Amino acid sequence: MKTPSPTSAPTGEPTSYDWLLLGLIIIIGGSSFSMIRLAVETIPPAIVGVGRLWVGAGILYFLMRMKGRRFPPFLVRTQNGPRLHTAWVWMMAVGIIGNTIPFLIFPWAQQYVESGLAGVYMAFMPIWTLFLAFLFAGEALTGRKLIGFIMGFIGVLILMGPEVVSGAAGTSLLAQAAILLATFLYAVSAVISRRAPTIRPRVFSAGLLLCAAICATPALMLAEFDAYAYSWRSVLGVIGLGIFPTGLGAFLIIILIKRAGAGFMALANYLTPIWAVVLGAMAFGERLAPQVFVALSVILLGVFISQRKTKLPALETGDGTAGEIAPMAAKQ
């Protein structure tokens, strides 16, 4: 029996190979929070964020060149003089909003928030996306989507607990709010990606990560360098973040959307947060409060209701690059 081509168009029911790809994407995406926790044990958050971006950019540039793709010229000539190429404008905007800022937020926040809880907050990202798509991308906000959005917010209130109602501003609560902000920025970048001109997914992913890495690098001036204090576990955590969720994860998403379609890819919305919780429990002995599982159920139910019978659901899967590459891959 002939093995389907990784880049073949979606036809019929997903194959066992498609399910395998989906499983890998879920494992890779959901593992990013545990890798961040390992990395920040001994490495400053800014170095973690910048390091993973440069590793991920290198991986995706290599995969882009393997396919024979090249970056567009940075500047183009016009009657009014040279200007920035349109593709670079979009890649820069998406890279900064969806990667530079969130990838610096998460390492800081996960010094105070367990990896499983951070993964649960990512379940809210599709809810952000549908609301932003209504405001800025001309997508209808149906009653079903509105119900899903409200349920998502209820889930977040359950997650934060009574502290958010009483106004107690502890470090943990601020860290959770920062993670929620990062998921919002992921969603913003995903909506921007949908409005971007058609750009090859491998070029788009490598370009946005390169822009993100360059723009994040100045944050190193705020970090203390003491390489002798870095444990091998933390170093492997940074490298793993760059190779897997930031680099290979985006590449696998491109393949899966081309093979099985955007709707099948959306299944990762439900399973990635669950895997993040399970891995946090197995790797670090995290025992999250019962309210976390109640909140996760409410949020995921809201995602299910909002995306039911839609042709192109939100596709964010636990890492910023995923939400940005999915719309671009679906256009091809």
Side-chain angles (χ1 to χ4, degrees):
M1 181 177 178
K2 185 179 178 180
T3 303
S5 169
T7 57
S8 59
T11 56
E13 294 296 321
T15 66
S16 56
Y17 184 76
D18 299 329
W19 283 103
L20 176 62
L21 286 176
L22 181 68
L24 286 174
I25 290 168
I26 291 167
I27 291 172
I28 289 172
S31 300
S32 62
F33 309 102
S34 292
M35 291 184 194
I36 291 174
R37 173 163 173 170
L38 282 177
V40 297
E41 285 180 350
T42 60
I43 299 179
I47 297 178
V48 173
V50 174
R52 72 175 291 191
L53 281 169
W54 277 112
V55 172
I59 293 291
L60 287 176
Y61 179 78
F62 174 75
L63 294 173
M64 179 192 74
R65 295 297 294 125
M66 279 187 62
K67 189 67 175 178
R69 311 291 185 206
R70 294 179 180 273
F71 285 137
F74 190 70
L75 296 175
V76 293
R77 293 182 179 178
T78 67
Q79 293 181 345
N80 298 322
R83 65 168 177 79
L84 198 61
H85 193 288
T86 302
W88 282 109
V89 173
W90 288 92
M91 290 188 293
M92 191 177 299
V94 171
I96 294 172
I97 296 172
N99 289 270
T100 299
I101 302 174
F103 284 9
L104 293 175
I105 286 177
F106 266 100
W108 172 79
Q110 282 196 234
Q111 296 177 106
Y112 313 103
V113 174
E114 294 179 314
S115 62
L117 183 58
V120 170
Y121 271 105
M122 283 303 302
F124 192 71
M125 185 177 167
I127 303 293
W128 279 129
T129 305
L130 69 90
F131 188 68
L132 289 169
F134 163 71
L135 292 178
F136 301 108
E139 296 186 14
L141 186 61
T142 62
R144 185 178 65 248
K145 291 182 179 180
L146 184 59
I147 291 172
F149 186 76
I150 293 172
M151 290 186 67
F153 261 114
I154 292 173
V156 169
L157 292 177
I158 295 173
L159 269 182
M160 290 189 167
E163 292 85 0
V164 71
V165 179
S166 63
T171 304
S172 177
L173 184 59
L174 291 176
Q176 291 180 61
I179 291 175
L180 192 59
L181 172 62
T183 66
F184 175 76
L185 293 174
Y186 281 164
V188 170
S189 64
V191 172
I192 293 175
S193 304
R194 294 183 184 182
R195 303 303 296 265
T198 301
I199 306 170
R200 292 284 184 180
R202 288 177 179 83
V203 175
F204 189 73
S205 58
L208 74 88
L209 275 187
L210 178 61
C211 292
I214 293 172
C215 292
T217 299
L220 295 179
M221 293 186 293
L222 304 177
E224 295 183 7
F225 286 90
D226 186 7
Y228 293 105
Y230 303 162
S231 70
W232 64 269
R233 281 162 46 103
S234 294
V235 172
L236 288 178
V238 175
I239 296 173
L241 281 166
I243 293 175
F244 295 106
T246 312
L248 292 181
F251 180 65
L252 292 177
I253 285 167
I254 294 171
I255 293 176
L256 184 57
I257 291 177
K258 288 188 174 183
R259 285 182 53 91
F264 181 71
M265 180 66 223
L267 290 174
N269 281 334
Y270 304 96
L271 301 177
T272 298
I274 297 172
W275 172 243
V277 171
V278 171
L279 188 59
M282 292 191 303
F284 303 107
E286 295 177 356
R287 293 294 182 266
L288 300 179
Q291 73 186 49
V292 173
F293 299 97
V294 174
L296 178 60
S297 300
V298 172
I299 294 173
L300 291 182
L301 181 58
V303 173
F304 174 77
I305 292 173
S306 66
Q307 294 187 357
R308 190 164 175 259
K309 295 182 180 179
T310 53
K311 292 182 179 180
L312 184 61
L315 302 170
E316 299 72 24
T317 57
D319 190 271
T321 311
E324 292 141 18
I325 297 308
M328 302 307 300
K331 289 180 181 179
Q332 303 300 311

Short mmCIF file of all heavy atoms in Angstrom, two decimals, residues 222-261:
data_model
loop_
_atom_site.label_atom_id
_atom_site.label_comp_id
_atom_site.label_asym_id
_atom_site.label_seq_id
_atom_site.Cartn_x
_atom_site.Cartn_y
_atom_site.Cartn_z
N LEU A 222 18.66 42.89 30.16
CA LEU A 222 18.04 42.91 31.48
C LEU A 222 18.32 41.64 32.27
O LEU A 222 17.89 41.52 33.42
CB LEU A 222 16.51 43.06 31.32
CG LEU A 222 16.04 44.29 30.54
CD1 LEU A 222 14.51 44.26 30.40
CD2 LEU A 222 16.50 45.57 31.21
N ALA A 223 19.04 40.70 31.66
CA ALA A 223 19.29 39.41 32.32
C ALA A 223 20.72 39.34 32.84
O ALA A 223 21.64 39.96 32.28
CB ALA A 223 19.04 38.26 31.34
N GLU A 224 20.89 38.61 33.92
CA GLU A 224 22.22 38.38 34.48
C GLU A 224 22.80 37.10 33.88
O GLU A 224 22.18 36.05 33.93
CB GLU A 224 22.14 38.26 36.00
CG GLU A 224 21.71 39.54 36.71
CD GLU A 224 21.72 39.37 38.22
OE1 GLU A 224 22.18 38.31 38.69
OE2 GLU A 224 21.28 40.30 38.90
N PHE A 225 24.01 37.22 33.33
CA PHE A 225 24.66 36.07 32.71
C PHE A 225 25.59 35.41 33.73
O PHE A 225 26.50 36.03 34.25
CB PHE A 225 25.46 36.50 31.48
CG PHE A 225 24.61 36.83 30.29
CD1 PHE A 225 24.15 38.12 30.08
CD2 PHE A 225 24.25 35.84 29.38
CE1 PHE A 225 23.36 38.43 28.99
CE2 PHE A 225 23.46 36.14 28.28
CZ PHE A 225 23.02 37.43 28.09
N ASP A 226 25.30 34.16 34.00
CA ASP A 226 26.15 33.35 34.88
C ASP A 226 26.04 31.91 34.40
O ASP A 226 25.35 31.08 34.99
CB ASP A 226 25.69 33.48 36.33
CG ASP A 226 26.63 32.76 37.29
OD1 ASP A 226 27.71 32.29 36.83
OD2 ASP A 226 26.30 32.66 38.49
N ALA A 227 26.73 31.63 33.29
CA ALA A 227 26.60 30.33 32.64
C ALA A 227 26.95 29.17 33.56
O ALA A 227 26.40 28.07 33.42
CB ALA A 227 27.48 30.28 31.39
N TYR A 228 27.83 29.39 34.52
CA TYR A 228 28.22 28.31 35.43
C TYR A 228 27.08 27.90 36.35
O TYR A 228 27.08 26.80 36.91
CB TYR A 228 29.43 28.74 36.26
CG TYR A 228 30.69 28.92 35.45
CD1 TYR A 228 31.16 30.20 35.14
CD2 TYR A 228 31.40 27.81 34.97
CE1 TYR A 228 32.30 30.37 34.38
CE2 TYR A 228 32.55 27.98 34.21
CZ TYR A 228 33.00 29.26 33.92
OH TYR A 228 34.12 29.43 33.16
N ALA A 229 26.10 28.79 36.51
CA ALA A 229 24.96 28.47 37.38
C ALA A 229 23.85 27.73 36.63
O ALA A 229 22.92 27.24 37.26
CB ALA A 229 24.40 29.76 38.00
N TYR A 230 23.97 27.63 35.32
CA TYR A 230 22.91 26.98 34.54
C TYR A 230 23.06 25.47 34.61
O TYR A 230 24.14 24.93 34.30
CB TYR A 230 22.96 27.42 33.07
CG TYR A 230 22.86 28.90 32.84
CD1 TYR A 230 23.26 29.46 31.63
CD2 TYR A 230 22.40 29.77 33.84
CE1 TYR A 230 23.18 30.83 31.41
CE2 TYR A 230 22.32 31.13 33.63
CZ TYR A 230 22.73 31.66 32.42
OH TYR A 230 22.65 33.02 32.21
N SER A 231 22.01 24.80 34.99
CA SER A 231 22.04 23.33 35.04
C SER A 231 21.82 22.77 33.64
O SER A 231 21.26 23.43 32.76
CB SER A 231 20.95 22.81 35.98
OG SER A 231 19.66 23.02 35.42
N TRP A 232 22.27 21.52 33.45
CA TRP A 232 22.08 20.89 32.14
C TRP A 232 20.60 20.69 31.84
O TRP A 232 20.17 20.75 30.70
CB TRP A 232 22.82 19.56 32.08
CG TRP A 232 22.31 18.51 33.05
CD1 TRP A 232 22.75 18.29 34.32
CD2 TRP A 232 21.27 17.57 32.80
NE1 TRP A 232 22.03 17.25 34.89
CE2 TRP A 232 21.12 16.78 33.98
CE3 TRP A 232 20.44 17.29 31.71
CZ2 TRP A 232 20.18 15.77 34.09
CZ3 TRP A 232 19.51 16.28 31.82
CH2 TRP A 232 19.39 15.52 32.99
N ARG A 233 19.79 20.48 32.90
CA ARG A 233 18.35 20.35 32.70
C ARG A 233 17.75 21.62 32.11
O ARG A 233 16.92 21.56 31.19
CB ARG A 233 17.66 20.03 34.03
CG ARG A 233 17.77 18.59 34.48
CD ARG A 233 17.45 18.45 35.98
NE ARG A 233 16.28 19.18 36.41
CZ ARG A 233 15.09 18.63 36.67
NH1 ARG A 233 14.93 17.33 36.49
NH2 ARG A 233 14.09 19.36 37.10
N SER A 234 18.18 22.75 32.63
CA SER A 234 17.64 24.02 32.14
C SER A 234 18.10 24.30 30.71
O SER A 234 17.32 24.78 29.88
CB SER A 234 18.06 25.16 33.06
OG SER A 234 17.46 25.03 34.33
N VAL A 235 19.37 24.01 30.42
CA VAL A 235 19.89 24.22 29.07
C VAL A 235 19.13 23.34 28.08
O VAL A 235 18.73 23.79 27.00
CB VAL A 235 21.40 23.93 29.01
CG1 VAL A 235 21.89 23.97 27.56
CG2 VAL A 235 22.16 24.94 29.86
N LEU A 236 18.91 22.07 28.43
CA LEU A 236 18.15 21.18 27.56
C LEU A 236 16.71 21.67 27.40
O LEU A 236 16.10 21.49 26.34
CB LEU A 236 18.16 19.76 28.12
CG LEU A 236 19.49 18.99 28.02
CD1 LEU A 236 19.35 17.62 28.66
CD2 LEU A 236 19.92 18.87 26.57
N GLY A 237 16.17 22.30 28.46
CA GLY A 237 14.82 22.84 28.37
C GLY A 237 14.72 23.93 27.32
O GLY A 237 13.78 23.97 26.52
N VAL A 238 15.71 24.84 27.28
CA VAL A 238 15.72 25.92 26.30
C VAL A 238 15.88 25.36 24.89
O VAL A 238 15.15 25.73 23.95
CB VAL A 238 16.85 26.93 26.59
CG1 VAL A 238 16.93 27.97 25.49
CG2 VAL A 238 16.63 27.60 27.94
N ILE A 239 16.83 24.43 24.73
CA ILE A 239 17.05 23.83 23.41
C ILE A 239 15.82 23.06 22.95
O ILE A 239 15.40 23.15 21.79
CB ILE A 239 18.29 22.91 23.43
CG1 ILE A 239 19.55 23.72 23.73
CG2 ILE A 239 18.43 22.16 22.11
CD1 ILE A 239 20.79 22.89 23.94
N GLY A 240 15.22 22.32 23.89
CA GLY A 240 14.02 21.56 23.55
C GLY A 240 12.86 22.46 23.14
O GLY A 240 12.12 22.15 22.21
N LEU A 241 12.72 23.59 23.82
CA LEU A 241 11.67 24.56 23.45
C LEU A 241 11.86 25.05 22.02
O LEU A 241 10.90 25.17 21.25
CB LEU A 241 11.68 25.74 24.41
CG LEU A 241 11.04 25.55 25.77
CD1 LEU A 241 11.44 26.69 26.71
CD2 LEU A 241 9.53 25.48 25.65
N GLY A 242 13.10 25.34 21.67
CA GLY A 242 13.35 25.85 20.33
C GLY A 242 13.16 24.80 19.25
O GLY A 242 12.57 25.07 18.20
N ILE A 243 13.62 23.57 19.51
CA ILE A 243 13.55 22.52 18.50
C ILE A 243 12.12 22.02 18.32
O ILE A 243 11.63 21.90 17.18
CB ILE A 243 14.47 21.34 18.88
CG1 ILE A 243 15.94 21.78 18.82
CG2 ILE A 243 14.23 20.15 17.94
CD1 ILE A 243 16.90 20.71 19.28
N PHE A 244 11.43 21.75 19.42
CA PHE A 244 10.16 21.02 19.31
C PHE A 244 8.94 21.93 19.17
O PHE A 244 8.42 22.07 18.06
CB PHE A 244 10.04 20.03 20.47
CG PHE A 244 11.08 18.96 20.42
CD1 PHE A 244 12.15 18.96 21.30
CD2 PHE A 244 11.02 17.95 19.47
CE1 PHE A 244 13.13 17.98 21.24
CE2 PHE A 244 11.99 16.97 19.40
CZ PHE A 244 13.05 16.98 20.29
N PRO A 245 8.42 22.58 20.24
CA PRO A 245 7.20 23.37 20.03
C PRO A 245 7.38 24.56 19.10
O PRO A 245 6.49 24.91 18.33
CB PRO A 245 6.81 23.81 21.44
CG PRO A 245 8.04 23.71 22.25
CD PRO A 245 8.83 22.59 21.66
N THR A 246 8.57 25.20 19.14
CA THR A 246 8.76 26.39 18.33
C THR A 246 9.13 26.07 16.89
O THR A 246 8.69 26.76 15.97
CB THR A 246 9.86 27.29 18.95
OG1 THR A 246 9.61 27.44 20.35
CG2 THR A 246 9.89 28.66 18.30
N GLY A 247 9.90 25.03 16.66
CA GLY A 247 10.36 24.69 15.32
C GLY A 247 9.59 23.55 14.68
O GLY A 247 8.77 23.76 13.78
N LEU A 248 9.81 22.32 15.15
CA LEU A 248 9.19 21.16 14.53
C LEU A 248 7.67 21.17 14.66
O LEU A 248 6.96 20.68 13.78
CB LEU A 248 9.76 19.87 15.15
CG LEU A 248 11.23 19.58 14.83
CD1 LEU A 248 11.66 18.27 15.48
CD2 LEU A 248 11.47 19.53 13.33
N GLY A 249 7.15 21.73 15.76
CA GLY A 249 5.71 21.77 15.95
C GLY A 249 5.03 22.53 14.81
O GLY A 249 4.02 22.08 14.26
N ALA A 250 5.59 23.68 14.44
CA ALA A 250 5.03 24.47 13.34
C ALA A 250 5.12 23.70 12.02
O ALA A 250 4.19 23.73 11.20
CB ALA A 250 5.76 25.80 13.23
N PHE A 251 6.23 23.00 11.81
CA PHE A 251 6.41 22.23 10.58
C PHE A 251 5.38 21.10 10.48
O PHE A 251 4.78 20.88 9.41
CB PHE A 251 7.83 21.65 10.57
CG PHE A 251 8.15 20.83 9.35
CD1 PHE A 251 8.20 21.42 8.10
CD2 PHE A 251 8.40 19.48 9.46
CE1 PHE A 251 8.50 20.66 6.97
CE2 PHE A 251 8.70 18.72 8.35
CZ PHE A 251 8.75 19.32 7.10
N LEU A 252 5.13 20.40 11.59
CA LEU A 252 4.15 19.31 11.58
C LEU A 252 2.73 19.83 11.35
O LEU A 252 1.90 19.17 10.72
CB LEU A 252 4.22 18.53 12.90
CG LEU A 252 5.50 17.74 13.14
CD1 LEU A 252 5.46 17.08 14.52
CD2 LEU A 252 5.69 16.68 12.06
N ILE A 253 2.44 21.03 11.87
CA ILE A 253 1.12 21.62 11.67
C ILE A 253 0.89 21.90 10.18
O ILE A 253 -0.19 21.65 9.65
CB ILE A 253 0.99 22.90 12.51
CG1 ILE A 253 0.79 22.53 13.97
CG2 ILE A 253 -0.18 23.77 12.03
CD1 ILE A 253 0.95 23.68 14.92
N ILE A 254 1.92 22.40 9.49
CA ILE A 254 1.80 22.64 8.06
C ILE A 254 1.46 21.34 7.33
O ILE A 254 0.55 21.28 6.50
CB ILE A 254 3.11 23.23 7.51
CG1 ILE A 254 3.36 24.62 8.08
CG2 ILE A 254 3.08 23.28 5.98
CD1 ILE A 254 4.74 25.17 7.76
N ILE A 255 2.17 20.28 7.66
CA ILE A 255 1.95 18.99 7.00
C ILE A 255 0.54 18.48 7.27
O ILE A 255 -0.17 18.04 6.35
CB ILE A 255 2.99 17.96 7.49
CG1 ILE A 255 4.39 18.36 7.02
CG2 ILE A 255 2.65 16.55 6.96
CD1 ILE A 255 5.49 17.45 7.54
N LEU A 256 0.11 18.54 8.55
CA LEU A 256 -1.18 17.95 8.90
C LEU A 256 -2.34 18.71 8.27
O LEU A 256 -3.31 18.10 7.80
CB LEU A 256 -1.34 17.92 10.42
CG LEU A 256 -2.62 17.23 10.93
CD1 LEU A 256 -2.70 15.80 10.41
CD2 LEU A 256 -2.69 17.25 12.44
N ILE A 257 -2.27 20.03 8.23
CA ILE A 257 -3.36 20.80 7.62
C ILE A 257 -3.46 20.49 6.13
O ILE A 257 -4.55 20.35 5.58
CB ILE A 257 -3.18 22.31 7.86
CG1 ILE A 257 -3.39 22.63 9.33
CG2 ILE A 257 -4.14 23.13 7.01
CD1 ILE A 257 -3.16 24.07 9.70
N LYS A 258 -2.32 20.34 5.47
CA LYS A 258 -2.35 20.00 4.05
C LYS A 258 -2.88 18.59 3.81
O LYS A 258 -3.51 18.33 2.79
CB LYS A 258 -0.94 20.15 3.46
CG LYS A 258 -0.50 21.60 3.31
CD LYS A 258 0.81 21.70 2.54
CE LYS A 258 1.17 23.14 2.28
NZ LYS A 258 2.40 23.27 1.46
N ARG A 259 -2.64 17.70 4.75
CA ARG A 259 -3.09 16.32 4.58
C ARG A 259 -4.55 16.13 4.98
O ARG A 259 -5.34 15.55 4.24
CB ARG A 259 -2.23 15.37 5.44
CG ARG A 259 -0.84 15.10 4.93
CD ARG A 259 -0.13 14.13 5.86
NE ARG A 259 -0.95 12.94 6.07
CZ ARG A 259 -0.88 11.84 5.31
NH1 ARG A 259 -0.04 11.79 4.29
NH2 ARG A 259 -1.65 10.80 5.56
N ALA A 260 -4.91 16.60 6.17
CA ALA A 260 -6.21 16.26 6.75
C ALA A 260 -7.15 17.44 6.89
O ALA A 260 -8.32 17.25 7.22
CB ALA A 260 -6.01 15.59 8.11
N GLY A 261 -6.67 18.67 6.68
CA GLY A 261 -7.54 19.82 6.75
C GLY A 261 -7.53 20.51 8.10
O GLY A 261 -7.08 19.98 9.11
#
